[in-house]
Amino acid sequence: MNILLIGSGGREHALAWKLAQSRLCTKLFTAPGNPGIAEHAEPVALDVTDHEAVIAFCETQRIGLVVIGPEAPLVDGLADSLRHACVAVFGPSQAAAQLEGSKGFTKDLCARAGIPTGGYERVTSEAEGLAAIARFGAPVVIKADGLAAGKGVTVAMTLSEAEAAVRDIFDGRFGAAGAEAVVEEFLEGEEASFFALTDGHTVVPFASAQDHKRVGDGDTGPNTGGMGAYSPARVLTPELEAEALSRIVVPTVQTLANEGMPYSGVLFLGLMLTSTGPQLIEYNCRFGDPECQVMLMRLESDLGELLLACAENRLGAIEVPRFSDDTTLTVVMAANGYPDTPVKGGAIRRIDAAEATGAKVFHAGTAIVDGELVANGGRVLNVTARAASVAQAQERAYAAVDAIDFPDGFCRRDIGWREVARERA
């Protein structure tokens, strides 16, 4: 079977690496891909916003499955267009993808379905936002309603910080994503990410991870798209996973189906593990980045079979995903200036030396210029290692990081710090 993978980041490199191993995969194409993905797939020049062009390519190349990696094409309705053309696709419809495309949509759905989450108000102007902040007090969470590349959320510990976040949103910092905002109750606890697969009817757990959103060591500085992650997140115990599945995922899938928006694909839950149990922080309608990288390094099942079963509405007929008991940990190497104005064009060398340590380096924001690998984005590389414990995986990942020559880049040096501390306690 020929497979088309949409996307160009570290998540898509991990998906390409794993899909290329599938027994179902005859040939893998990628649009647009990156230099790392090109090691596993043939890059093609496709404008993914031109749905007819994507459909024509699928017909010409006899594509048996399209895997949509990032959220933007899903929110744009690419999966709908492909399904209408009878092309199997992994990823939810435009209507169901509102779970990520609109924070307000998700909060309203939670209210209808009785899903545990923080209290909230939807606001459409700076004045409404400032009034809501006054009612909530601090700390409080401010979210741009739409897609903001992981940077539209502010956890404000003071009223002045919250007010500044509201002004940023309605002053246009996030463009159309900031036409509305959500002011949300601050939840106490530890965050974890949980993933489940669904074909709209059957729901199966996939894996857990813990991301590190802040740019600096010790969880300091502004939020980013993610500076590193490890899997599994052992703080999310089997009992808590079962609770998240039954109280959050299943009611979500049932509610969307009942309301004419059946969800097919992966559900990515950002959870806060509170004293009263898991509460939903947010949904994403695709695999996390960099969570995907660490989860797929543990996956022992055939990824192609899993994704095709979702696309063909037969997830209940195949074996549930199997994972190694090992820990995997990834460190994001970012370009200097990230998350504000990353410096592009910096040379990257010695990837081979890093992988000689046993690590896997996934390309995120890279390009080839005049025959040399260079930075071409904010998050540039995902240096990923596997071991029996988080502490060992952390040590191996940073040994590989230190083997890479990327003078214009930086990384956090404490990925996995909470679980390392628990292991040593």
Side-chain angles (χ1 to χ4, degrees):
M1 179 176 70
N2 293 340
I3 300 173
L4 171 63
L5 171 65
I6 304 292
S8 62
R11 165 184 50 228
E12 287 76 37
H13 188 182
L15 286 166
W17 172 73
K18 202 67 177 178
L19 285 169
Q21 301 170 32
S22 172
R23 69 174 187 85
L24 301 181
C25 185
T26 304
K27 185 169 185 178
L28 183 61
F29 296 92
T30 180
N34 67 35
I37 296 172
E39 297 173 7
H40 313 285
E42 179 181 322
V44 293
L46 271 179
D47 177 1
V48 299
T49 66
D50 184 345
H51 296 188
E52 292 304 316
V54 177
I55 291 167
F57 177 83
C58 291
E59 291 171 347
T60 301
Q61 297 296 330
R62 304 174 67 88
I63 299 297
L65 175 66
V66 177
V67 178
I68 302 177
E71 61 274 18
L74 294 167
V75 173
D76 186 46
L78 179 58
D80 302 79
S81 298
L82 290 164
R83 288 192 179 98
H84 185 71
C86 298
V87 178
V89 56
F90 178 80
S93 67
Q94 184 177 43
Q98 290 180 91
L99 282 180
E100 180 164 3
S102 169
K103 305 293 192 299
F105 173 88
T106 297
K107 298 298 284 191
D108 288 349
L109 181 141
C110 288
R112 294 196 302 276
I115 291 168
T117 189
Y120 72 103
E121 285 188 38
R122 299 181 71 169
V123 297
T124 58
S125 69
E126 180 180 314
E128 286 183 5
L130 295 177
I133 288 167
R135 287 189 288 273
F136 273 90
V140 66
V141 181
I142 314 298
K143 297 179 178 179
D145 183 70
L147 299 179
K151 304 179 190 72
V153 177
T154 298
V155 180
M157 302 310 292
T158 65
L159 286 176
S160 61
E161 188 180 1
E163 290 164 357
V166 166
R167 292 190 179 100
D168 272 352
I169 289 172
F170 289 107
D171 283 348
R173 178 180 177 187
F174 303 108
E180 294 188 24
V182 173
V183 178
E184 189 172 318
E185 175 188 2
F186 175 82
L187 298 174
E188 293 274 5
E190 187 169 340
E191 290 189 41
S193 300
F194 179 55
F195 296 78
L197 298 179
T198 179
D199 57 11
H201 305 284
T202 301
V203 177
V204 298
F206 190 72
S208 67
Q210 189 169 75
D211 189 15
H212 298 63
K213 285 288 188 189
R214 302 277 188 169
V215 73
D217 287 6
D219 292 329
T220 57
N223 271 340
T224 71
M227 295 300 295
Y230 65 91
S231 177
R234 301 196 190 280
V235 68
L236 190 63
T237 64
E239 294 77 18
L240 290 175
E241 280 194 8
E243 186 176 350
L245 201 67
S246 64
R247 296 190 63 201
I248 300 176
V249 181
V250 170
T252 298
V253 172
Q254 290 175 341
T255 300
L256 288 171
N258 292 342
E259 296 180 358
M261 299 176 282
Y263 190 104
S264 176
V266 61
L267 274 170
F268 165 9
L269 292 71
L271 297 173
M272 185 66 77
L273 306 180
T274 73
S275 59
T276 59
Q279 295 205 42
L280 182 70
I281 301 171
E282 65 179 5
Y283 265 128
N284 293 299
C285 61
R286 36 69 190 181
F287 284 109
D289 188 345
E291 294 96 335
C292 184
Q293 291 85 310
V294 288
M295 293 190 301
L296 292 190
M297 279 197 73
R298 295 180 51 236
L299 180 65
E300 296 177 340
S301 300
D302 186 311
L303 181 65
E305 290 184 349
L306 288 168
L307 304 192
L308 185 63
C310 282
E312 294 181 340
N313 194 25
R314 52 179 182 81
L315 187 58
I318 69 168
E319 188 180 58
V320 298
R322 300 186 318 278
F323 290 86
S324 165
D325 290 333
D326 282 352
T327 290
T328 47
L329 184 144
T330 192
V331 177
V332 170
M333 297 190 76
N336 288 339
Y338 179 77
D340 295 322
T341 308
V343 176
K344 295 185 179 182
I348 305 164
R349 303 181 181 92
R350 293 179 53 81
I351 298 290
D352 55 345
E355 294 196 327
T357 69
K360 175 66 179 174
V361 179
F362 294 111
H363 292 233
T366 65
I368 301 292
V369 177
D370 296 331
E372 185 167 46
L373 185 69
V374 300
N376 190 42
R379 295 185 297 166
V380 179
L381 301 172
N382 309 138
V383 184
T384 314
R386 176 172 167 169
S389 69
V390 178
Q392 291 173 332
Q394 182 191 66
E395 182 180 352
R396 292 177 183 179
Y398 281 111
V401 165
D402 291 339
I404 295 172
D405 180 13
F406 180 25
D408 292 333
F410 74 98
C411 68
R412 279 183 58 163
R413 305 296 304 193
D414 65 345
I415 302 302
W417 65 271
R418 291 182 186 85
E419 194 61 29
V420 169
R422 283 190 282 262
E423 286 178 353
R424 291 172 176 167

